[in-house]
Amino acid sequence: MAITNRLKSLDALRGFDMFWIVSGEGIVHGLASATGFSALLWMDGQLHHSTWNGFTFYDLIFPLFIFIAGVAMPFSIGKKLANLQGEESRQEKRKIYRHLLLRCVILIVLGMVINGDLAFLPYAETRFASVLGRIGLSCFFAAMIYMNTTLKQQVLIFIAILWGYSLLMTLVPVPGYGAGVLTPEGSLASYIDRLLLPGKILRGSYDPEGILSTVPAIGTAMLGIFAGRLLRSG
C-alpha cells in the first residue's frame, strides 16, 4: 500500500469544520432543548449566524473552510511547481490554471443546484450567488496570486485587498444613502448586489455571498496560504 505524507493537523481541522458544515450543530440544539443546561444553551446561541451586526462561533465555519483551502495550496500547487523552471514550469502552470478554472465553474454551478435555482426557473428568480460559488471564486483568485507573485507581493496584495475593501465600503456613496452607511440596505456591497446580480438575492436587500463581499474572502484564502507556507517551510 502506498504511503502518502499528509498534514494531519490540516486533515483534523478540515474534519472539524466539515462536522459543523454537515449540520453537527443539530446535536447541540437538541441537547440544549432537552436538558436546558446553561452551558448547552450558550453553545446553542453560538451555533446560529448573526443576522447582520454581531459575531458568533457559527460565523467562523464558512471562512474557516476557505482558510483551510488556502493552507493546502502551498502543499498541492507548491509541490507540483517545485524545482520546475522555464517552459516546463509554464506548461505545468497552464495545467493548473485549467484545473482551477474548471473547478471554479463547477462549484458555481453546483452552488446554484444546491440553491434549488437551476431547475428551469425564470431568470429573475434564479439565485446565482452561493456558498460553493464563493469558495470557487475566492480560491481561484487566491491560487492565481500565489502562483504568480512572490511572498512579499502576496503580503502587499493581501493588505491592499483589506484596505481597499474598507475604503470602498466607507468612502463610496450609495444612491439614496450616502457614504459609509453599513446597514443591510445602505452598504455599498448590498447596493452592488442589487445592481449587478442578475437574478434574485437571498435576503432581499443583499446577498451574504454577493459580489463585493467575495473580495475579502480572497484575503481569507490568502491567510491560509501564508499559514501553509509557514508549515511547509518547517
Side-chain angles (χ1 to χ4, degrees):
M1 181 174 62
I3 297 176
T4 58
N5 293 321
R6 295 189 61 87
L7 187 61
K8 294 181 180 179
S9 58
L10 184 60
D11 285 340
L13 185 59
R14 185 183 291 111
F16 171 79
D17 199 46
M18 287 303 301
F19 172 77
W20 301 109
I21 288 175
V22 298
S23 301
E25 75 278 3
I27 298 173
V28 177
H29 294 327
L31 290 173
S33 177
T35 64
F37 291 163
S38 58
L40 288 172
L41 290 173
W42 176 83
M43 291 176 63
D44 178 83
Q46 286 293 309
L47 292 172
H48 295 279
H49 285 301
S50 302
T51 303
W52 182 255
N53 293 328
F55 182 78
T56 66
F57 169 78
Y58 208 54
D59 294 324
L60 279 173
I61 301 304
F62 181 25
L64 179 60
F65 189 91
I66 295 176
F67 173 84
I68 291 169
V71 175
M73 289 181 194
F75 292 92
S76 57
I77 297 175
K79 182 179 179 181
K80 292 178 181 178
L81 297 178
N83 304 319
L84 296 181
Q85 295 180 350
E87 184 60 28
E88 193 177 14
S89 176
R90 287 190 289 271
Q91 289 179 358
E92 185 62 33
K93 280 186 177 181
R94 283 194 287 268
K95 291 180 183 178
I96 297 172
Y97 294 156
R98 289 193 293 269
H99 171 75
L100 290 170
L101 182 59
L102 178 62
R103 184 178 68 178
C104 180
V105 172
I106 289 173
L107 285 172
I108 291 172
V109 173
L110 287 178
M112 293 171 64
V113 172
I114 292 174
N115 289 344
D117 292 330
L118 202 63
F120 304 104
L121 292 174
Y123 189 71
E125 296 180 17
T126 299
R127 182 182 174 225
F128 290 87
S130 69
V131 168
L132 290 180
R134 172 163 289 182
I135 292 172
L137 289 167
S138 61
C139 291
F140 172 79
F141 287 109
M144 295 294 286
I145 294 169
Y146 169 69
M147 287 192 294
N148 294 285
T149 58
T150 64
L151 176 58
K152 181 179 179 180
Q153 290 170 333
Q154 290 164 24
V155 172
L156 292 175
I157 291 171
F158 172 74
I159 294 172
I161 286 173
L162 297 189
W163 191 39
Y165 182 76
S166 176
L167 290 176
L168 286 172
M169 292 291 286
T170 54
L171 298 181
V172 177
V174 174
Y177 294 94
V181 179
L182 302 179
T183 64
E185 300 80 15
S187 73
L188 179 64
S190 303
Y191 174 70
I192 290 177
D193 289 345
R194 295 193 298 270
L195 188 66
L196 299 181
L197 283 179
K200 70 177 183 180
I201 51 181
L202 183 62
R203 295 182 182 171
S205 58
Y206 74 99
D207 197 297
E209 284 78 46
I211 296 172
L212 186 60
S213 58
T214 296
V215 173
I218 301 171
T220 303
M222 293 186 69
L223 278 176
I225 290 172
F226 298 147
R229 291 185 69 133
L230 181 64
L231 290 169
R232 191 165 184 254
S233 70

